[in-house]
Amino acid sequence: MFKPQHMYDREFGTGNGYSNGNGYTNGNGHTNGNGNYNGNGHVNGNGKANGAKVVKMKPMDSELLREQGHIMVDFIADYYKNLQDSPQDFPVLSQVQPGYLRDMLPDSAPERPESLKELLDDVSKKIMPGITHWQSPSYFAYYASSTSVAGFLGEMLNAGLSVVGFTWLTSPAATELEIIVLDWLAKLLQLPDHFLSTGNGGGVIQGTGCEAVLVVVLAARDRILKKVGKTLLPQLVVYGSDQTHSSFRKACLIGGIHEENIRLLKTDSSTNYGMPPESLEEAISHDLAKGFIPFFICATVGTTSSAAVDPLVPLGNIAKKYGIWLHVDAAYAGNACICPEYRKFIDGIENADSFNMNAHKWLFANQTCSPLWVKDRYSLIDALKTNPEYLEFKVKVSKKDTVVNYKDWQISLSRRFRSLKLWMVLRLYGSENLRNFIRDHVNLAKHFEDYVAQDPSFEVVTTRYFSLVCFRLAPVDGDEDQCNERNRELLAAVNSTGKIFISHTALSGKFVLRFAVGAPLTEEKHVTEAWQIIQKHASKFTRNDHY
């Protein structure tokens, strides 16, 4: 069980006599009786202080923050150290059962303050067992949620300042830093100039890629309805592939697009599960002939399932030909495109109307940070703007009409100062180090892929582009059903060890295992250990030619 190594000093409600309710306090934080007060305790609630001045709770005390903040930083630093030094204490995939926590916590919130020591003890004993450790060096499932010291410090500063920068006026620096940092990142990605803030486009940090695809669907919807009339909403049609992230479907449904008008085009191994341009054009032509109105294409660079890449050049040409909004979802692989050797995967981006990536996936910006760039900011603003009287400028602002109000670029009104952590990541590491770290992860994935390729009992299922390897136990005598079942069993056995965590997908009816490198602590030894665990548990299926 995780035990923080550092001592707890000053605490909330213990040793300083804080009290809620009607009890006595005697300088030690214990209460009972009818509200008499002695010692140095503070009374909150309906008790009397017998002539002493009642000191109210002070939620933000700078000195208490300093003390408790040091304790919390130590706790978190110890956590990361122990992930590496004592991995046996941290099953990567939580082994608890649903509802485990209910019996471990009280039925109601406490009336009196509890100490930070007590709380962190509960985190160690009760919360940690229910954590799947995404930051473990042996985490290889889904895609990583990358962290870094710079990202953590940015989150800390963000939380400390706690600004709500929904308009320029509410925190000018929050708006202007976001504009500048997203121009920096756009240049690292070599995005076209029309995505920069100096033109009609620009960038905005959404919480997630799911939010990004929603707002651009809404922008594209409203743009086309202005041309054809709102009554034709039932005729609007969108296009993706059967590998497009499920958030695309959800965004379309939220936007009022009929489910039967969501075209998910079939992919297969012949295109390494990228969207076939000929299928897209055929579907568009077919829909136009039937009186439908094609208005949105969602292309993906680095699909969630297998890191497939849709061919942006031909898809962009099709979108341009028919006047359709093209969005590029590069939530995972877009990060790698800051490396010149991977930039080719977004060739054709000049014909896209919008582009997003998740900097919290592979650019070490900590959850959540999803930059989105649009070619025409006014399409986005027109779809999302709200201007109630209470948000109007009440002071004179020069160049008011050119000020960016990010509330009109997103769904919610409130917004966090997310650009701080991205700014800190870019400054404290520099683009060269970021590129090299991404390259290291890709090389580790190549290392794992080599292990798979050298074992005749396994096979690599798709071409690897980035740091995801899709593989499986190979079928025997062409028996795909048995092969799928064996791979399911292997996945369950491997993950039940708690030593590593991998996930799966399905491609062309095949149950496929996924090994995604991206956790910031992962080194070559962790990849090697993971392969050894997989081989060990696969051995019961490979002892003879028939498993």
Side-chain angles (χ1 to χ4, degrees), residues 392-427:
E392 287 296 314
F393 287 115
K394 299 300 182 185
V395 296
K396 185 177 180 180
V397 178
S398 62
K399 299 182 181 179
K400 175 180 173 181
D401 292 338
T402 64
V403 164
V404 169
N405 293 316
Y406 274 128
K407 70 179 179 64
D408 298 328
W409 297 50
Q410 62 179 31
I411 299 299
S412 65
L413 173 63
S414 297
R415 66 193 328 268
R416 304 175 69 239
F417 199 170
R418 291 188 177 98
S419 58
L420 272 176
K421 60 185 174 183
L422 189 53
W423 184 51
M424 292 179 71
V425 164
L426 293 172
R427 288 191 64 185

mmCIF file of all heavy atoms in Angstrom, residues 392-427:
data_model
loop_
_atom_site.group_PDB
_atom_site.id
_atom_site.type_symbol
_atom_site.label_atom_id
_atom_site.label_comp_id
_atom_site.label_asym_id
_atom_site.label_seq_id
_atom_site.Cartn_x
_atom_site.Cartn_y
_atom_site.Cartn_z
ATOM 1 N N GLU A 392 -21.592 42.106 -21.664
ATOM 2 C CA GLU A 392 -21.134 43.190 -22.515
ATOM 3 C C GLU A 392 -20.021 43.957 -21.811
ATOM 4 O O GLU A 392 -19.973 44.037 -20.584
ATOM 5 C CB GLU A 392 -22.288 44.139 -22.845
ATOM 6 C CG GLU A 392 -23.292 43.575 -23.844
ATOM 7 C CD GLU A 392 -22.693 43.328 -25.205
ATOM 8 O OE1 GLU A 392 -21.979 44.215 -25.719
ATOM 9 O OE2 GLU A 392 -22.907 42.239 -25.761
ATOM 10 N N PHE A 393 -19.103 44.523 -22.568
ATOM 11 C CA PHE A 393 -18.039 45.328 -21.997
ATOM 12 C C PHE A 393 -18.615 46.537 -21.283
ATOM 13 O O PHE A 393 -19.444 47.262 -21.834
ATOM 14 C CB PHE A 393 -17.071 45.810 -23.085
ATOM 15 C CG PHE A 393 -16.181 44.734 -23.628
ATOM 16 C CD1 PHE A 393 -16.278 44.321 -24.947
ATOM 17 C CD2 PHE A 393 -15.228 44.137 -22.819
ATOM 18 C CE1 PHE A 393 -15.448 43.339 -25.455
ATOM 19 C CE2 PHE A 393 -14.398 43.147 -23.320
ATOM 20 C CZ PHE A 393 -14.502 42.752 -24.627
ATOM 21 N N LYS A 394 -18.185 46.763 -20.051
ATOM 22 C CA LYS A 394 -18.657 47.914 -19.280
ATOM 23 C C LYS A 394 -17.591 48.997 -19.176
ATOM 24 O O LYS A 394 -17.807 50.005 -18.531
ATOM 25 C CB LYS A 394 -19.058 47.461 -17.869
ATOM 26 C CG LYS A 394 -20.191 46.443 -17.864
ATOM 27 C CD LYS A 394 -21.450 46.976 -18.510
ATOM 28 C CE LYS A 394 -22.583 45.963 -18.440
ATOM 29 N NZ LYS A 394 -23.788 46.425 -19.161
ATOM 30 N N VAL A 395 -16.423 48.743 -19.753
ATOM 31 C CA VAL A 395 -15.380 49.753 -19.771
ATOM 32 C C VAL A 395 -14.928 49.941 -21.206
ATOM 33 O O VAL A 395 -15.132 49.087 -22.072
ATOM 34 C CB VAL A 395 -14.170 49.327 -18.895
ATOM 35 C CG1 VAL A 395 -14.589 49.210 -17.448
ATOM 36 C CG2 VAL A 395 -13.559 48.036 -19.381
ATOM 37 N N LYS A 396 -14.324 51.069 -21.457
ATOM 38 C CA LYS A 396 -13.871 51.362 -22.810
ATOM 39 C C LYS A 396 -12.670 50.502 -23.152
ATOM 40 O O LYS A 396 -11.674 50.480 -22.438
ATOM 41 C CB LYS A 396 -13.513 52.835 -22.936
ATOM 42 C CG LYS A 396 -13.135 53.237 -24.359
ATOM 43 C CD LYS A 396 -12.864 54.731 -24.450
ATOM 44 C CE LYS A 396 -12.486 55.110 -25.884
ATOM 45 N NZ LYS A 396 -12.208 56.568 -25.999
ATOM 46 N N VAL A 397 -12.772 49.789 -24.249
ATOM 47 C CA VAL A 397 -11.678 48.941 -24.710
ATOM 48 C C VAL A 397 -11.362 49.329 -26.142
ATOM 49 O O VAL A 397 -12.236 49.280 -27.009
ATOM 50 C CB VAL A 397 -12.059 47.444 -24.650
ATOM 51 C CG1 VAL A 397 -10.921 46.599 -25.189
ATOM 52 C CG2 VAL A 397 -12.395 47.044 -23.228
ATOM 53 N N SER A 398 -10.129 49.747 -26.368
ATOM 54 C CA SER A 398 -9.743 50.076 -27.744
ATOM 55 C C SER A 398 -9.726 48.808 -28.575
ATOM 56 O O SER A 398 -9.431 47.722 -28.088
ATOM 57 C CB SER A 398 -8.368 50.747 -27.762
ATOM 58 O OG SER A 398 -7.384 49.878 -27.264
ATOM 59 N N LYS A 399 -10.049 48.935 -29.823
ATOM 60 C CA LYS A 399 -10.087 47.799 -30.744
ATOM 61 C C LYS A 399 -11.037 46.704 -30.237
ATOM 62 O O LYS A 399 -10.773 45.515 -30.386
ATOM 63 C CB LYS A 399 -8.686 47.202 -30.943
ATOM 64 C CG LYS A 399 -7.680 48.170 -31.534
ATOM 65 C CD LYS A 399 -6.338 47.484 -31.744
ATOM 66 C CE LYS A 399 -5.312 48.436 -32.319
ATOM 67 N NZ LYS A 399 -3.990 47.796 -32.497
ATOM 68 N N LYS A 400 -12.143 47.125 -29.640
ATOM 69 C CA LYS A 400 -13.076 46.145 -29.058
ATOM 70 C C LYS A 400 -13.538 45.109 -30.074
ATOM 71 O O LYS A 400 -13.688 43.927 -29.756
ATOM 72 C CB LYS A 400 -14.276 46.898 -28.475
ATOM 73 C CG LYS A 400 -15.387 46.018 -27.935
ATOM 74 C CD LYS A 400 -16.511 46.858 -27.394
ATOM 75 C CE LYS A 400 -17.711 46.011 -27.013
ATOM 76 N NZ LYS A 400 -18.822 46.842 -26.514
ATOM 77 N N ASP A 401 -13.746 45.540 -31.315
ATOM 78 C CA ASP A 401 -14.282 44.639 -32.329
ATOM 79 C C ASP A 401 -13.287 43.556 -32.745
ATOM 80 O O ASP A 401 -13.669 42.562 -33.361
ATOM 81 C CB ASP A 401 -14.725 45.440 -33.554
ATOM 82 C CG ASP A 401 -15.933 46.331 -33.265
ATOM 83 O OD1 ASP A 401 -16.664 46.028 -32.300
ATOM 84 O OD2 ASP A 401 -16.120 47.324 -33.984
ATOM 85 N N THR A 402 -11.999 43.752 -32.429
ATOM 86 C CA THR A 402 -11.003 42.757 -32.814
ATOM 87 C C THR A 402 -10.614 41.849 -31.657
ATOM 88 O O THR A 402 -9.793 40.955 -31.822
ATOM 89 C CB THR A 402 -9.735 43.443 -33.344
ATOM 90 O OG1 THR A 402 -9.146 44.214 -32.286
ATOM 91 C CG2 THR A 402 -10.057 44.358 -34.516
ATOM 92 N N VAL A 403 -11.199 42.082 -30.500
ATOM 93 C CA VAL A 403 -10.868 41.284 -29.326
ATOM 94 C C VAL A 403 -11.468 39.878 -29.459
ATOM 95 O O VAL A 403 -12.617 39.716 -29.890
ATOM 96 C CB VAL A 403 -11.382 41.974 -28.047
ATOM 97 C CG1 VAL A 403 -11.399 41.008 -26.872
ATOM 98 C CG2 VAL A 403 -10.516 43.178 -27.718
ATOM 99 N N VAL A 404 -10.689 38.882 -29.073
ATOM 100 C CA VAL A 404 -11.172 37.491 -29.068
ATOM 101 C C VAL A 404 -11.869 37.217 -27.746
ATOM 102 O O VAL A 404 -11.309 37.466 -26.683
ATOM 103 C CB VAL A 404 -10.010 36.504 -29.273
ATOM 104 C CG1 VAL A 404 -10.460 35.073 -29.006
ATOM 105 C CG2 VAL A 404 -9.444 36.633 -30.681
ATOM 106 N N ASN A 405 -13.080 36.703 -27.816
ATOM 107 C CA ASN A 405 -13.823 36.245 -26.643
ATOM 108 C C ASN A 405 -14.035 34.743 -26.800
ATOM 109 O O ASN A 405 -14.911 34.308 -27.551
ATOM 110 C CB ASN A 405 -15.159 36.981 -26.519
ATOM 111 C CG ASN A 405 -14.969 38.448 -26.204
ATOM 112 O OD1 ASN A 405 -14.145 38.808 -25.363
ATOM 113 N ND2 ASN A 405 -15.722 39.311 -26.875
ATOM 114 N N TYR A 406 -13.250 33.967 -26.102
ATOM 115 C CA TYR A 406 -13.245 32.521 -26.326
ATOM 116 C C TYR A 406 -14.532 31.829 -25.893
ATOM 117 O O TYR A 406 -14.751 30.666 -26.238
ATOM 118 C CB TYR A 406 -12.043 31.878 -25.652
ATOM 119 C CG TYR A 406 -10.789 31.895 -26.499
ATOM 120 C CD1 TYR A 406 -9.588 32.382 -26.007
ATOM 121 C CD2 TYR A 406 -10.799 31.406 -27.806
ATOM 122 C CE1 TYR A 406 -8.430 32.366 -26.781
ATOM 123 C CE2 TYR A 406 -9.660 31.398 -28.589
ATOM 124 C CZ TYR A 406 -8.477 31.875 -28.072
ATOM 125 O OH TYR A 406 -7.338 31.862 -28.845
ATOM 126 N N LYS A 407 -15.388 32.503 -25.163
ATOM 127 C CA LYS A 407 -16.692 31.918 -24.844
ATOM 128 C C LYS A 407 -17.454 31.569 -26.112
ATOM 129 O O LYS A 407 -18.308 30.659 -26.098
ATOM 130 C CB LYS A 407 -17.516 32.877 -23.987
ATOM 131 C CG LYS A 407 -18.013 34.122 -24.722
ATOM 132 C CD LYS A 407 -18.846 35.023 -23.843
ATOM 133 C CE LYS A 407 -19.317 36.267 -24.583
ATOM 134 N NZ LYS A 407 -20.225 35.978 -25.717
ATOM 135 N N ASP A 408 -17.158 32.291 -27.199
ATOM 136 C CA ASP A 408 -17.866 32.083 -28.460
ATOM 137 C C ASP A 408 -17.161 31.074 -29.372
ATOM 138 O O ASP A 408 -17.547 30.911 -30.525
ATOM 139 C CB ASP A 408 -18.008 33.420 -29.196
ATOM 140 C CG ASP A 408 -18.834 34.432 -28.407
ATOM 141 O OD1 ASP A 408 -19.744 34.010 -27.673
ATOM 142 O OD2 ASP A 408 -18.555 35.637 -28.527
ATOM 143 N N TRP A 409 -16.169 30.403 -28.825
ATOM 144 C CA TRP A 409 -15.456 29.369 -29.585
ATOM 145 C C TRP A 409 -15.665 27.992 -28.961
ATOM 146 O O TRP A 409 -15.009 27.024 -29.359
ATOM 147 C CB TRP A 409 -13.952 29.652 -29.606
ATOM 148 C CG TRP A 409 -13.513 30.919 -30.280
ATOM 149 C CD1 TRP A 409 -13.993 32.179 -30.082
ATOM 150 C CD2 TRP A 409 -12.450 31.047 -31.244
ATOM 151 N NE1 TRP A 409 -13.300 33.084 -30.850
ATOM 152 C CE2 TRP A 409 -12.343 32.418 -31.575
ATOM 153 C CE3 TRP A 409 -11.571 30.147 -31.830
ATOM 154 C CZ2 TRP A 409 -11.405 32.901 -32.493
ATOM 155 C CZ3 TRP A 409 -10.629 30.627 -32.749
ATOM 156 C CH2 TRP A 409 -10.557 31.988 -33.071
ATOM 157 N N GLN A 410 -16.547 27.880 -27.985
ATOM 158 C CA GLN A 410 -16.703 26.630 -27.237
ATOM 159 C C GLN A 410 -18.141 26.509 -26.748
ATOM 160 O O GLN A 410 -18.945 27.431 -26.878
ATOM 161 C CB GLN A 410 -15.745 26.612 -26.045
ATOM 162 C CG GLN A 410 -16.004 27.715 -25.028
ATOM 163 C CD GLN A 410 -15.053 27.671 -23.848
ATOM 164 O OE1 GLN A 410 -13.909 27.261 -23.971
ATOM 165 N NE2 GLN A 410 -15.530 28.092 -22.691
ATOM 166 N N ILE A 411 -18.466 25.353 -26.157
ATOM 167 C CA ILE A 411 -19.816 25.104 -25.666
ATOM 168 C C ILE A 411 -20.080 25.838 -24.357
ATOM 169 O O ILE A 411 -21.085 26.525 -24.203
ATOM 170 C CB ILE A 411 -20.061 23.593 -25.469
ATOM 171 C CG1 ILE A 411 -19.921 22.843 -26.802
ATOM 172 C CG2 ILE A 411 -21.427 23.347 -24.850
ATOM 173 C CD1 ILE A 411 -20.905 23.270 -27.869
ATOM 174 N N SER A 412 -19.195 25.689 -23.389
ATOM 175 C CA SER A 412 -19.437 26.280 -22.073
ATOM 176 C C SER A 412 -19.063 27.757 -22.062
ATOM 177 O O SER A 412 -18.375 28.252 -22.958
ATOM 178 C CB SER A 412 -18.632 25.527 -21.012
ATOM 179 O OG SER A 412 -17.249 25.691 -21.247
ATOM 180 N N LEU A 413 -19.514 28.439 -21.026
ATOM 181 C CA LEU A 413 -19.101 29.823 -20.822
ATOM 182 C C LEU A 413 -17.764 29.853 -20.086
ATOM 183 O O LEU A 413 -16.797 30.441 -20.546
ATOM 184 C CB LEU A 413 -20.166 30.587 -20.027
ATOM 185 C CG LEU A 413 -19.777 32.012 -19.592
ATOM 186 C CD1 LEU A 413 -19.533 32.907 -20.803
ATOM 187 C CD2 LEU A 413 -20.870 32.613 -18.693
ATOM 188 N N SER A 414 -17.712 29.212 -18.927
ATOM 189 C CA SER A 414 -16.487 29.214 -18.133
ATOM 190 C C SER A 414 -15.376 28.453 -18.849
ATOM 191 O O SER A 414 -15.623 27.519 -19.611
ATOM 192 C CB SER A 414 -16.734 28.569 -16.769
ATOM 193 O OG SER A 414 -17.673 29.317 -16.028
ATOM 194 N N ARG A 415 -14.163 28.892 -18.606
ATOM 195 C CA ARG A 415 -13.018 28.213 -19.223
ATOM 196 C C ARG A 415 -11.791 28.390 -18.345
ATOM 197 O O ARG A 415 -11.639 29.384 -17.646
ATOM 198 C CB ARG A 415 -12.766 28.678 -20.645
ATOM 199 C CG ARG A 415 -12.338 30.101 -20.803
ATOM 200 C CD ARG A 415 -12.422 30.558 -22.269
ATOM 201 N NE ARG A 415 -12.168 29.514 -23.225
ATOM 202 C CZ ARG A 415 -10.958 29.248 -23.729
ATOM 203 N NH1 ARG A 415 -9.909 29.932 -23.311
ATOM 204 N NH2 ARG A 415 -10.801 28.291 -24.623
ATOM 205 N N ARG A 416 -10.933 27.386 -18.374
ATOM 206 C CA ARG A 416 -9.726 27.383 -17.576
ATOM 207 C C ARG A 416 -8.568 28.007 -18.354
ATOM 208 O O ARG A 416 -8.610 28.101 -19.584
ATOM 209 C CB ARG A 416 -9.379 25.952 -17.156
ATOM 210 C CG ARG A 416 -10.501 25.258 -16.416
ATOM 211 C CD ARG A 416 -10.198 23.805 -16.110
ATOM 212 N NE ARG A 416 -9.141 23.698 -15.119
ATOM 213 C CZ ARG A 416 -7.987 23.068 -15.315
ATOM 214 N NH1 ARG A 416 -7.738 22.482 -16.475
ATOM 215 N NH2 ARG A 416 -7.086 23.001 -14.371
ATOM 216 N N PHE A 417 -7.538 28.397 -17.656
ATOM 217 C CA PHE A 417 -6.351 29.015 -18.242
ATOM 218 C C PHE A 417 -5.414 27.905 -18.713
ATOM 219 O O PHE A 417 -4.292 27.762 -18.240
ATOM 220 C CB PHE A 417 -5.699 29.894 -17.175
ATOM 221 C CG PHE A 417 -4.742 30.936 -17.693
ATOM 222 C CD1 PHE A 417 -4.251 31.915 -16.839
ATOM 223 C CD2 PHE A 417 -4.302 30.939 -19.020
ATOM 224 C CE1 PHE A 417 -3.355 32.875 -17.285
ATOM 225 C CE2 PHE A 417 -3.406 31.903 -19.480
ATOM 226 C CZ PHE A 417 -2.926 32.871 -18.600
ATOM 227 N N ARG A 418 -5.893 27.099 -19.671
ATOM 228 C CA ARG A 418 -5.139 25.916 -20.096
ATOM 229 C C ARG A 418 -3.850 26.260 -20.830
ATOM 230 O O ARG A 418 -2.912 25.465 -20.853
ATOM 231 C CB ARG A 418 -6.008 25.025 -20.985
ATOM 232 C CG ARG A 418 -7.155 24.323 -20.273
ATOM 233 C CD ARG A 418 -7.818 23.329 -21.220
ATOM 234 N NE ARG A 418 -8.873 22.588 -20.590
ATOM 235 C CZ ARG A 418 -10.170 22.896 -20.700
ATOM 236 N NH1 ARG A 418 -10.533 23.939 -21.431
ATOM 237 N NH2 ARG A 418 -11.089 22.162 -20.112
ATOM 238 N N SER A 419 -3.808 27.434 -21.443
ATOM 239 C CA SER A 419 -2.617 27.762 -22.228
ATOM 240 C C SER A 419 -1.377 27.896 -21.354
ATOM 241 O O SER A 419 -0.252 27.763 -21.848
ATOM 242 C CB SER A 419 -2.839 29.056 -23.008
ATOM 243 O OG SER A 419 -3.154 30.132 -22.144
ATOM 244 N N LEU A 420 -1.559 28.134 -20.049
ATOM 245 C CA LEU A 420 -0.408 28.236 -19.149
ATOM 246 C C LEU A 420 0.461 26.984 -19.205
ATOM 247 O O LEU A 420 1.683 27.057 -19.332
ATOM 248 C CB LEU A 420 -0.881 28.450 -17.705
ATOM 249 C CG LEU A 420 -1.117 29.874 -17.227
ATOM 250 C CD1 LEU A 420 -1.679 29.846 -15.812
ATOM 251 C CD2 LEU A 420 0.175 30.682 -17.267
ATOM 252 N N LYS A 421 -0.184 25.817 -19.104
ATOM 253 C CA LYS A 421 0.618 24.591 -19.054
ATOM 254 C C LYS A 421 1.238 24.277 -20.408
ATOM 255 O O LYS A 421 2.372 23.773 -20.472
ATOM 256 C CB LYS A 421 -0.214 23.419 -18.539
ATOM 257 C CG LYS A 421 -1.430 23.060 -19.367
ATOM 258 C CD LYS A 421 -2.222 21.967 -18.685
ATOM 259 C CE LYS A 421 -3.535 21.698 -19.414
ATOM 260 N NZ LYS A 421 -4.341 20.684 -18.710
ATOM 261 N N LEU A 422 0.532 24.583 -21.491
ATOM 262 C CA LEU A 422 1.111 24.348 -22.806
ATOM 263 C C LEU A 422 2.295 25.289 -23.038
ATOM 264 O O LEU A 422 3.338 24.886 -23.579
ATOM 265 C CB LEU A 422 0.040 24.549 -23.885
ATOM 266 C CG LEU A 422 0.387 24.147 -25.312
ATOM 267 C CD1 LEU A 422 0.885 22.710 -25.379
ATOM 268 C CD2 LEU A 422 -0.808 24.342 -26.232
ATOM 269 N N TRP A 423 2.167 26.518 -22.612
ATOM 270 C CA TRP A 423 3.244 27.502 -22.676
ATOM 271 C C TRP A 423 4.452 27.021 -21.881
ATOM 272 O O TRP A 423 5.590 27.098 -22.333
ATOM 273 C CB TRP A 423 2.701 28.815 -22.138
ATOM 274 C CG TRP A 423 3.597 30.012 -22.197
ATOM 275 C CD1 TRP A 423 4.286 30.484 -23.281
ATOM 276 C CD2 TRP A 423 3.863 30.924 -21.119
ATOM 277 N NE1 TRP A 423 4.956 31.640 -22.953
ATOM 278 C CE2 TRP A 423 4.715 31.939 -21.624
ATOM 279 C CE3 TRP A 423 3.443 30.999 -19.799
ATOM 280 C CZ2 TRP A 423 5.165 33.006 -20.841
ATOM 281 C CZ3 TRP A 423 3.884 32.060 -19.022
ATOM 282 C CH2 TRP A 423 4.734 33.039 -19.529
ATOM 283 N N MET A 424 4.180 26.515 -20.674
ATOM 284 C CA MET A 424 5.267 26.038 -19.818
ATOM 285 C C MET A 424 5.936 24.801 -20.400
ATOM 286 O O MET A 424 7.169 24.658 -20.342
ATOM 287 C CB MET A 424 4.744 25.786 -18.411
ATOM 288 C CG MET A 424 4.350 27.072 -17.697
ATOM 289 S SD MET A 424 3.689 26.838 -16.032
ATOM 290 C CE MET A 424 5.174 26.341 -15.149
ATOM 291 N N VAL A 425 5.172 23.890 -20.972
ATOM 292 C CA VAL A 425 5.750 22.706 -21.608
ATOM 293 C C VAL A 425 6.673 23.121 -22.755
ATOM 294 O O VAL A 425 7.809 22.635 -22.877
ATOM 295 C CB VAL A 425 4.642 21.761 -22.113
ATOM 296 C CG1 VAL A 425 5.198 20.735 -23.100
ATOM 297 C CG2 VAL A 425 3.976 21.044 -20.947
ATOM 298 N N LEU A 426 6.200 24.026 -23.602
ATOM 299 C CA LEU A 426 6.993 24.439 -24.756
ATOM 300 C C LEU A 426 8.250 25.199 -24.327
ATOM 301 O O LEU A 426 9.319 25.032 -24.927
ATOM 302 C CB LEU A 426 6.145 25.303 -25.693
ATOM 303 C CG LEU A 426 4.992 24.573 -26.387
ATOM 304 C CD1 LEU A 426 4.109 25.559 -27.142
ATOM 305 C CD2 LEU A 426 5.511 23.500 -27.335
ATOM 306 N N ARG A 427 8.131 25.986 -23.283
ATOM 307 C CA ARG A 427 9.282 26.784 -22.848
ATOM 308 C C ARG A 427 10.275 25.969 -22.012
ATOM 309 O O ARG A 427 11.490 26.081 -22.194
ATOM 310 C CB ARG A 427 8.803 27.990 -22.030
ATOM 311 C CG ARG A 427 8.126 29.062 -22.865
ATOM 312 C CD ARG A 427 7.920 30.331 -22.050
ATOM 313 N NE ARG A 427 9.183 30.927 -21.640
ATOM 314 C CZ ARG A 427 9.276 31.980 -20.836
ATOM 315 N NH1 ARG A 427 8.174 32.537 -20.350
ATOM 316 N NH2 ARG A 427 10.453 32.472 -20.512
#
